[in-house]
Amino acid sequence: MATQPALAQTAQTDTVVAADAPGDMPVEASVHPEQWPEIAFPRVLTEAGEARVQAILARMTVEQKVGQIIQADIASVTPEDVRRYRLGSVLNGGNSGPGGDDLAPAEKWLELADALYEASMDVAVGEPAIPIVWGTDAVHGHSNIIGATIFPHNVGLGATRDPELIERIGQVTAVEIRVTGQEWTFAPTVAVPQDYRWGRAYEGYSSDPSLVAAYVGSMIRGLQGPPSISPILAGPHVAASTKHYLADGGTTDGRDQGDAAISELELRLIHGAPYIPAIENGVATIMTSFSSWNGVKLSAHRGLITDVLKGRMNFDGMVITDWNAHGQVAGCSNASCPRAVDAGIDMFMAPDSWRMFYDSTLAQVRDGTIAMDRLDDAVARVLRLKERLGLFAMGKPSQRALSGEYDLLGAPDHRAVAREAVRKSMVLLKNTGVLPLQPGGRILVAGDAANDIARQSGGWTLSWQGTGLENDLFPGATSLWSGIEQAARATGGSAQLSEDGTFMQRPDAAIVIFGETPYAEFQGDITTLQLRPELRSPIATMRRLKEQGIPVIAVMITGRPLYVNEALNTADAFVTAWLPGSEGGGVADMLFAGRNGVFAHDFQGLLPTGWPATAKHGGPMLFPFGYGLRYADGPRAWTPVPQESGVSDDGSNGSVFFELGSPASSWSLIVSEDDGSNALRVTTVPVDALHGRVRISATDHGVQEGARSFTIDSQGAAIELAAMDPIDISRETNGDMLLLSTVRRDSSITDALSMSMRCDGNPCDNSVPIAEFGRLAEREWTTLGIPLKCFRAAGADMGRISSPFRITINQAAALSISRVALGSLSDAGVIANCKTD
């Protein structure tokens, strides 16, 4: 590899460094640094601090230097590993927690922070002691911790148009992070989403770059404090990290980790805009994106990282990759990526691959593949972050200010800020006069999202996808139902909760709460801008209530604008609450008048992006960017809008293969011999396969005939879901996702069943024995999760999977299957114990 490139400001064309042969990138991937803004990064270290960094660097061995540029996940590393390898950093991934428990109490997080710190400082005589730094995804509050304040996701904050509020949210978040001993958050996300089919679009404040840019400095100042040579940890602050550099919100078709096929001008003016205030405010770190720009992965784009970001824009902080993102670079793997080092990456998030990455990187430094001056530059930037935080002088986490003050988690004044954010984020799209609700009324609260705090909080809440969480995991939080009930009583009225909208005593008005269920990356990508079919039943509830002459207020929980014209036409008032977080009382604040009949809070939320008139991306807008009604404007007449979605209505996001007893579009349910012969595509039931040796019938789960039952004789059979066109699930495999099978064991299963996948219609030589099938409780439905990495470890090519689910049964058995999909750890009831590497 070449030595560290000069920080040139002339046109640069990135180069692919494959396994053994370089090649020029297409011109579309070249950059012109002189066209980008030149920014002054503030002074954040004293001369003495920089001298300390250089003195430590001079004393370090190459082994210590390599350790410092690696970040491991706490689920895959121990304090002893930190001590031995001198790792520079750890993180907690979305499903990671102390002792393997992502729902561990706050005390355990601080205990682990101390243990990791002490391990990093346990050094031999003469060796520099370099404290470890812990990064966490506190993206809407300290959202990994039970009891913490959960703020609205960024899409809702974008509706507030209140940068001062954003700064206060950053301050509260920083304080709560400090309680449990972490020093660094991977926030704020400064994506500028251009396609709301993207599953992470709710992490962006707006589709408008100027609005996003107006918030960035406020959030960074809230988290880090104003730029200063004083240590960050000397105040109630933590290090921030803007992400994901660059154009993660501009990928084709809104595909997560996809390719932004756009011009450099669009890249700079839209997606680069938020990085100007970020650098001006001294953001400590910047995280590169999984995604590509014109075919070049951002984690190895030297032109954008070294020449533009560090050179032209003068970013003097540290650049870190996303989760194993370096493994997606051409010529690289999770275990090795010298190209990304050369491109300017300073720290590698190698959560479960850190040990292999350490070994390969050390060897590459020793043989000259990685230049020593590039390694020294990366290590110096890591050390500067730690010096800037004050880690060398602050002692272990439990000894620092705010640590262990657990009463600060979800403190009343913190929740008050979150409740204010909820009020200001809500957007009133329709009001024919039913709002605000008058005092003394009898209110019916309906809808499947009414009493679900996890659902109103969305992804990145306690777990990665935010799923599988009950209300008791949110002590001190308020569901929308609870907030409405309290508000109704406070004004002399009453409220009744009835999910399906039935009632014994006629209400004066009904509030129907509906919308999306939680998701994060992968799970959140959708093909069309509409609710999945199974989430639309509350709209039918609205219709029934309206037919009975009951005024209806629709409250939508959503991470993005969606086509919901039927609900808009049906309801008398329509409010989008986005993903409000833990303070559901803020929603109720906006719906009720006080005892004097006058509203206490007027709506101020304005749409952070346009609201679609159809479910087709790029189609016409029903409401423009910046739209939002006010109580002060009075009731407004409604002209019914067309109820034509303009798209097919399969509701699939590509990660569900079998649901409610039927294969998803383009997939087929097939029963065959073990070797694939005598195959029968199951289209109707009941039916026999393999000359009567297998009986397939319908059974109930969730809905009538929502599953398929298989009775198999002693000669066995194979059951699979297959498609003609293979799919690429390599990124999902890297993201620690699972194959989820909702199954029921209907008879004894004595031998382990085998699971496998097919690649391009052929066996992948990847049979994985799953003993857990035989241990499932008989006649009870369970969601069994098999890590995708188990199939990869067994030889499957995850980039060309034509059958993601194939189960081989070599004994007499009976079982039923309701659903097969990709999902996360929190979605599984039982997780298979299989080899993942």
Side-chain angles (χ1 to χ4, degrees):
M1 298 290 290
T3 57
Q4 168 71 358
L7 300 181
Q9 295 182 6
T10 56
Q12 298 289 324
T13 299
D14 203 345
T15 301
V16 169
V17 181
D20 56 3
D24 291 338
M25 290 305 302
V27 67
E28 290 83 0
S30 64
V31 294
H32 301 79
E34 75 282 359
Q35 297 177 5
W36 291 69
E38 190 169 14
I39 305 168
F41 191 83
R43 183 174 177 232
V44 293
L45 283 187
T46 64
E47 292 182 2
E50 179 61 27
R52 184 158 40 246
V53 166
Q54 296 302 325
I56 292 171
L57 182 64
R59 294 169 58 199
M60 293 174 69
T61 65
V62 66
E63 291 85 358
Q64 293 160 358
K65 291 177 181 179
V66 170
Q68 282 299 301
I69 68 168
I70 294 175
Q71 183 182 67
D73 185 73
I74 60 172
S76 302
V77 74
T78 65
E80 178 54 37
D81 292 329
V82 170
R83 180 183 294 106
R84 177 180 176 185
Y85 290 92
R86 298 298 175 220
L87 298 178
S89 181
V90 295
L91 82 152
N92 54 284
N95 289 314
S96 301
D101 180 9
D102 62 332
L103 300 177
E107 293 83 356
K108 294 296 182 182
W109 292 78
L110 184 55
E111 288 176 13
L112 180 58
D114 272 356
L116 293 166
Y117 173 89
E118 289 167 345
S120 70
M121 300 297 283
D122 183 7
V123 299
V125 175
E127 178 184 339
I130 304 173
I132 200 163
V133 60
W134 184 339
T136 185
D137 279 294
V139 296
H140 63 139
H142 195 18
S143 50
N144 293 280
I145 305 298
I146 291 176
T149 308
I150 308 298
F151 290 94
H153 268 296
N154 284 356
V155 66
L157 298 183
T160 69
R161 305 301 205 271
D162 191 339
E164 186 274 335
L165 172 63
I166 304 304
E167 185 165 347
R168 286 189 282 130
I169 290 171
Q171 292 169 346
V172 170
T173 301
V175 166
E176 296 201 12
I177 293 171
R178 292 288 299 276
V179 169
T180 55
Q182 290 72 51
E183 307 98 353
W184 177 19
T185 176
F186 303 133
T189 301
V190 297
V192 188
Q194 301 299 291
D195 188 333
Y196 279 80
R197 293 175 296 178
W198 181 37
R200 302 190 73 167
Y202 65 82
E203 296 185 52
Y205 294 115
S206 172
S207 60
D208 179 74
S210 60
L211 178 55
V212 178
Y215 280 9
V216 173
S218 297
M219 180 58 80
I220 290 171
R221 289 191 300 274
L223 291 167
Q224 295 185 170
S228 170
I229 58 174
S230 297
I232 290 174
L233 297 182
H237 301 120
V238 296
S241 184
T242 46
K243 63 183 185 184
H244 304 86
Y245 184 84
L246 190 61
D248 52 337
T251 60
T252 301
D253 296 327
R255 178 175 170 82
D256 192 57
Q257 302 186 15
D259 182 47
I262 57 178
S263 69
E264 185 180 3
L265 180 65
E266 188 175 348
L267 182 74
R268 172 166 54 85
L269 295 183
I270 294 179
H271 304 283
Y275 288 89
I276 299 173
I279 293 170
E280 288 174 339
N281 283 274
V283 67
T285 68
I286 290 176
M287 183 185 294
T288 55
S289 178
F290 279 112
S291 59
S292 306
W293 176 53
N294 287 326
V296 180
K297 285 291 181 180
L298 269 299
S299 294
H301 200 302
R302 186 169 63 194
L304 283 171
I305 298 172
T306 294
D307 300 319
V308 169
L309 182 62
K310 293 181 175 181
R312 177 68 174 181
M313 298 176 76
N314 296 307
F315 174 61
D316 200 31
M318 190 189 82
V319 178
I320 183 172
T321 64
D322 208 333
W323 183 281
N324 275 335
H326 59 277
Q328 299 183 15
V329 172
C332 292
S333 68
N334 288 357
S336 173
C337 196
R339 184 188 173 203
V341 180
D342 182 70
I345 296 297
D346 304 310
M347 180 175 282
F348 289 82
M349 189 184 293
D352 54 356
S353 59
W354 64 267
R355 197 185 310 262
M356 294 180 292
F357 189 83
Y358 174 92
D359 290 340
S360 67
T361 304
L362 181 59
Q364 289 153 5
V365 174
R366 286 173 170 165
D367 69 15
T369 301
I370 294 175
M372 183 59 74
D373 60 349
R374 171 73 270 270
L375 177 64
D376 283 349
D377 174 62
V379 175
R381 287 172 181 264
V382 174
L383 296 177
R384 288 190 191 105
L385 170 64
K386 296 180 178 186
E387 174 68 23
R388 183 180 175 190
L389 279 164
L391 289 176
F392 291 101
M394 292 290 177
K396 64 182 180 181
S398 63
Q399 295 175 338
R400 303 171 194 160
L402 304 176
S403 290
E405 296 187 28
Y406 301 114
D407 288 346
L408 291 174
L409 295 172
D413 58 331
H414 294 179
R415 293 190 183 278
V417 175
R419 188 164 180 163
E420 177 186 349
V422 175
R423 288 196 298 266
K424 291 182 174 180
S425 68
M426 293 174 64
V427 180
L428 181 62
L429 296 180
K430 176 183 180 181
N431 184 24
T432 59
V434 66
L435 288 179
L437 294 168
Q438 293 303 301
R442 185 181 299 112
I443 307 301
L444 175 68
V445 180
D448 53 8
N451 195 31
D452 190 334
I453 298 172
R455 186 162 173 182
Q456 71 193 44
S457 298
W460 297 105
T461 305
L462 297 187
S463 67
W464 176 30
Q465 298 286 332
T467 55
L469 306 170
E470 301 297 330
N471 283 357
D472 59 5
L473 291 173
F474 297 90
T478 304
S479 71
L480 270 63
W481 149 247
S482 295
I484 292 168
E485 182 186 34
Q486 293 168 19
R489 292 185 184 280
T491 59
S494 63
Q496 173 194 349
L497 177 64
S498 172
E499 182 175 312
D500 65 0
T502 58
F503 54 85
M504 296 294 293
Q505 192 172 17
R506 182 182 176 85
D508 297 309
I511 300 172
V512 181
I513 303 171
F514 76 113
E516 294 192 292
T517 51
Y519 54 82
E521 52 200 311
F522 307 131
Q523 294 288 78
D525 284 5
I526 54 177
T527 56
T528 61
L529 293 170
Q530 59 186 335
L531 281 175
R532 299 197 310 271
E534 69 272 19
L535 298 177
R536 300 175 199 166
S537 59
I539 301 177
T541 300
M542 296 179 204
R543 285 200 312 270
R544 289 195 304 271
L545 291 166
K546 281 288 293 178
E547 288 167 358
Q548 297 173 73
I550 297 169
V552 171
I553 299 98
V555 175
M556 188 174 183
I557 300 297
T558 184
R560 51 194 156 199
L562 295 173
Y563 165 78
V564 285
N565 288 12
E566 184 179 2
L568 280 159
N569 282 335
T570 303
D572 297 282
F574 189 105
V575 177
T576 179
W578 309 110
L579 298 170
S582 61
E583 306 313 301
V587 173
D589 289 343
M590 303 304 298
L591 303 181
F592 288 83
R595 284 185 176 270
N596 59 1
V598 178
F599 56 85
H601 305 280
D602 201 350
F603 283 88
Q604 73 172 57
L606 302 174
L607 288 178
T609 189
W611 193 283
T614 72
K616 184 177 182 179
H617 169 69
M621 289 293 147
L622 185 61
F623 302 110
F625 167 84
Y627 184 85
L629 301 178
R630 301 283 186 271
Y631 280 146
D633 298 331
R636 181 169 296 189
W638 177 261
T639 301
V641 295
Q643 293 181 192
E644 296 293 334
S645 69
V647 299
S648 60
D649 196 23
D650 63 7
S652 171
N653 68 353
S655 64
V656 178
F657 310 117
F658 186 81
E659 189 161 36
L660 299 178
S662 298
S665 176
S666 79
W667 294 95
S668 297
L669 175 64
I670 295 173
V671 176
S672 69
E673 303 282 8
D674 185 6
D675 62 4
S677 62
N678 297 323
L680 171 73
R681 179 189 293 181
V682 179
T683 56
T684 60
V685 290
V687 68
D688 291 336
L690 301 182
H691 308 293
R693 290 169 25 216
V694 180
R695 179 71 168 171
I696 306 106
S697 59
T699 189
D700 296 344
H701 182 231
V703 298
Q704 186 176 4
E705 299 191 359
R708 295 293 177 260
S709 291
F710 303 83
T711 304
I712 302 159
D713 75 3
S714 59
Q715 296 182 63
I719 304 167
E720 71 178 295
L721 292 164
M724 292 294 293
D725 297 322
I727 59 173
D728 181 353
I729 54 174
S730 53
R731 64 187 183 125
E732 288 86 347
T733 305
N734 178 59
D736 281 333
M737 295 192 75
L738 293 80
L739 180 69
L740 301 172
S741 306
T742 301
V743 296
R744 185 182 69 194
R745 182 172 66 86
D746 298 328
S747 72
S748 173
I749 297 178
T750 56
D751 299 327
L753 305 187
S754 292
M755 294 284 292
S756 62
M757 293 185 173
R758 284 182 176 262
C759 304
D760 291 331
N762 300 307
C764 299
D765 297 326
N766 61 90
S767 180
V768 178
I770 307 294
E772 285 77 9
F773 268 110
R775 301 172 191 157
L776 300 178
E778 192 165 334
R779 304 297 303 174
E780 291 185 13
W781 288 100
T782 304
T783 299
L784 175 64
I786 301 99
L788 293 179
K789 289 181 178 178
C790 292
F791 298 105
R792 185 179 68 185
D797 181 347
M798 308 306 285
R800 53 188 189 94
I801 298 299
S802 56
S803 177
F805 173 92
R806 192 171 198 271
I807 183 169
T808 303
I809 305 162
N810 294 315
Q811 58 190 295
L815 73 158
S816 300
I817 304 171
S818 173
R819 187 175 192 266
V820 178
L822 301 181
S824 63
L825 288 169
S826 58
D827 298 317
V830 174
I831 298 174
N833 181 19
C834 49
K835 183 179 179 181
T836 58
D837 54 31

